[in-house]
Amino acid sequence: MAFVGPIARLVQQLGKLPGIGEKTAARLAFHILRAPAEDAAALAASIAEVKQKIRFCGTCCDLTDRDPCAICADARRDDGLICVVAQPQDVVAVERAGGFRGRYHVLHGLLSPLDGIGPDDLRVAELVRRCTGAIQEVILATSPSVEGEATAVYLAKLVRPLGVKTTRIATGVPMGGELEYADQVTLARAIDGRREI
Amino acid sequence: MAFVGPIARLVQQLGKLPGIGEKTAARLAFHILRAPAEDAAALAASIAEVKQKIRFCGTCCDLTDRDPCAICADARRDDGLICVVAQPQDVVAVERAGGFRGRYHVLHGLLSPLDGIGPDDLRVAELVRRCTGAIQEVILATSPSVEGEATAVYLAKLVRPLGVKTTRIATGVPMGGELEYADQVTLARAIDGRREI
């Protein structure tokens, strides 16, 4: 579109965000223009704040505003158990699910040879370093996608020789899902992973 | 989600934008976290810049960083012709279509009694004030929606008694559209508005 000056610059900057095309960027820009000045200032300030304050936790590699992060600093959590996830959002998802009281390790990505992402691009070395000592079990909680599976298999091969038990989260029909609509692979995995009740 | 600290604040601020739910806000926030510091700074700065510099043009009420705006200040444009639109984006759309060389007037909304939006909430008084003088024709270019039509009819009744010709943009089958798939009202309007070729 033919916006000019400050509006064009804002539309351009918003358009760099993922999933935000030019039309959505224009809609967001005009919303910001109409919004109260405090709201726009708060948005700009919070963008600056995350870039300034957020860094990696030296232990679990999660994003945090203090090092060690709140979970690593929590003395009540189980030091023997590490849940390995691909990204910081996954830590939030597992925490929300409740029940898990161990530690985390954030890889910041998944192995993807086609995209040129190898072990050195992920926080794999940091995980291996943690696997000496009190760690008894590493739960590989990457998504059951091609990259997630490949990453889990790779990590299992790396961690198991260190004498640490490695487990993989279960794959199966999701709660509330219908057998009828489950895909073949999911259903085969669900039958494969059946448990006594 | 259970984000904390600066990330939670950014997710909350992004979630206030239209069409951005909590999950999208989290995705955008993590993109900003991963993006180069310059990009995040540019985004924050452009938000601050629009709020600081953009104001209403004293003539056409469009959003602008200088008053009068570039279009109102352009001496080569036709002073006798005003194209009335609902919002600043519509000015950009008409300009992009090309061919129109008159002036604009931005209403900043459409009449909508159900939402409590009356003439006093729009830039109607400013339009009426402009209709004395050199103005020969006012083109009512609001959308052919219920509110757009009502606003056009209302403005026509207001402007016509001032001795100014009022016209309405054509409604019909869009270019590239199929008669077969055009809705009844559009097709009836297209037949109604037929022109000799």
Side-chain angles (χ1 to χ4, degrees), chain A residues 83-175:
Chain A
C83 178
V84 178
V85 295
Q87 47 180 8
Q89 294 96 306
D90 299 337
V91 172
V92 176
V94 176
E95 282 296 290
R96 199 178 35 198
F100 180 73
R101 296 298 297 161
R103 311 285 178 177
Y104 290 93
H105 190 83
V106 181
L107 297 169
H108 290 283
L110 292 171
L111 293 179
S112 179
L114 287 177
D115 299 321
I117 301 174
D120 293 344
D121 301 307
L122 308 180
R123 301 305 184 110
V124 171
E126 288 88 341
L127 175 64
V128 172
R129 230 181 344 260
R130 290 178 76 186
C131 284
T132 52
I135 306 298
Q136 278 140 28
E137 180 179 350
V138 167
I139 304 173
L140 299 166
T142 52
S143 298
S145 61
V146 175
E147 289 86 3
E149 293 282 287
T151 308
V153 170
Y154 174 85
L155 292 177
K157 279 187 187 165
L158 212 62
V159 170
R160 209 178 296 120
L162 304 173
V164 177
K165 182 179 170 189
T166 55
T167 56
R168 180 88 177 100
I169 52 164
T171 324
V173 183
M175 288 302 290

Side-chain angles (χ1 to χ4, degrees), chain B:
Chain B
M1 288 200 202
F3 295 114
V4 287
I7 300 182
R9 283 193 285 279
L10 178 58
V11 170
Q12 193 204 345
Q13 292 301 330
L14 288 169
K16 288 182 181 175
L17 296 174
I20 307 288
E22 201 182 19
K23 289 208 168 180
T24 307
R27 196 161 47 84
L28 296 180
F30 282 103
H31 172 88
I32 290 170
L33 272 164
R34 277 191 302 268
E38 314 86 77
D39 280 17
L43 174 57
S46 58
I47 292 168
E49 192 192 15
V50 292
K51 296 305 283 188
Q52 196 180 34
K53 293 195 185 162
I54 298 294
R55 50 188 187 276
F56 295 112
C57 170
T59 309
C60 72
C61 305
D62 195 4
L63 296 172
T64 177
D65 56 345
R66 55 201 155 154
D67 188 6
C69 72
I71 292 175
C72 286
D74 186 347
R76 291 164 304 173
R77 298 187 77 115
D78 185 354
D79 280 323
L81 195 57
I82 293 181
C83 179
V84 179
V85 294
Q87 49 181 6
Q89 293 96 308
D90 299 337
V91 172
V92 176
V94 176
E95 283 295 290
R96 199 178 34 197
F100 180 73
R101 296 299 297 161
R103 309 287 179 177
Y104 289 92
H105 191 83
V106 181
L107 296 170
H108 291 282
L110 292 169
L111 293 178
S112 179
L114 286 178
D115 299 320
I117 301 176
D120 293 344
D121 301 307
L122 309 178
R123 300 306 184 107
V124 170
E126 288 88 342
L127 175 64
V128 171
R129 232 181 345 261
R130 290 178 74 186
C131 285
T132 52
I135 307 298
Q136 278 140 30
E137 181 179 349
V138 167
I139 304 173
L140 299 165
T142 51
S143 297
S145 60
V146 174
E147 288 87 3
E149 293 281 287
T151 308
V153 170
Y154 174 84
L155 292 177
K157 279 186 185 163
L158 211 63
V159 170
R160 208 179 295 120
L162 304 173
V164 177
K165 182 178 169 188
T166 55
T167 56
R168 180 88 176 99
I169 52 164
T171 325
V173 184
M175 289 299 292
E178 299 278 353
L179 276 206
E180 190 181 348
Y181 302 121
D183 66 282
Q184 294 174 353
V185 180
T186 299
L187 200 48
R189 290 277 195 111
I191 293 170
D192 216 38
R194 67 190 178 279
R195 292 166 61 173
E196 230 173 283
I197 57 162

Side-chain angles (χ1 to χ4, degrees), chain A residues 49-104:
Chain A
E49 192 192 16
V50 291
K51 296 304 282 190
Q52 198 180 32
K53 293 195 186 160
I54 298 294
R55 52 189 185 279
F56 296 111
C57 171
T59 308
C60 72
C61 305
D62 195 4
L63 295 171
T64 176
D65 56 346
R66 55 201 154 152
D67 187 6
C69 71
I71 292 176
C72 286
D74 186 346
R76 291 164 304 172
R77 299 187 77 116
D78 185 353
D79 279 324
L81 196 58
I82 295 183
C83 178
V84 178
V85 295
Q87 47 180 8
Q89 294 96 306
D90 299 337
V91 172
V92 176
V94 176
E95 282 296 290
R96 199 178 35 198
F100 180 73
R101 296 298 297 161
R103 311 285 178 177
Y104 290 93

Side-chain angles (χ1 to χ4, degrees), chain A residues 168-189:
Chain A
R168 180 88 177 100
I169 52 164
T171 324
V173 183
M175 288 302 290
E178 299 279 352
L179 275 207
E180 190 182 347
Y181 301 123
D183 67 280
Q184 295 173 351
V185 181
T186 300
L187 200 48
R189 291 276 195 111

